[in-house]
Amino acid sequence: MDLPDSNHHTAVRCHDDGIPFRVQGGLTSPPGGHATMEVNDFGPDPSLGSDQ
């Protein structure tokens, strides 16, 4: 999925800090093609818990 720069930086920060994040959107997966997602909502979600 492609994220705007600000969301990409948020994802990297969450990953580095071990904070789960959520992505919501429309997923398109054509037969034999590559899946793509139109992101509608994105952000950190500590309620998901972590593996640590």
Side-chain angles (χ1 to χ4, degrees), residues 11 19 26 33-34 41:
I19 299 170
H34 290 55
D41 191 34

Side-chain angles (χ1 to χ4, degrees), residues 1 3 11 21-25 37-43 48:
M1 86 187 81
L3 293 173
F21 53 92
R22 56 164 172 61
V23 178
Q24 294 178 325
M37 177 181 261
E38 181 73 30
V39 177
N40 298 327
D41 191 34
F42 175 88
L48 293 173

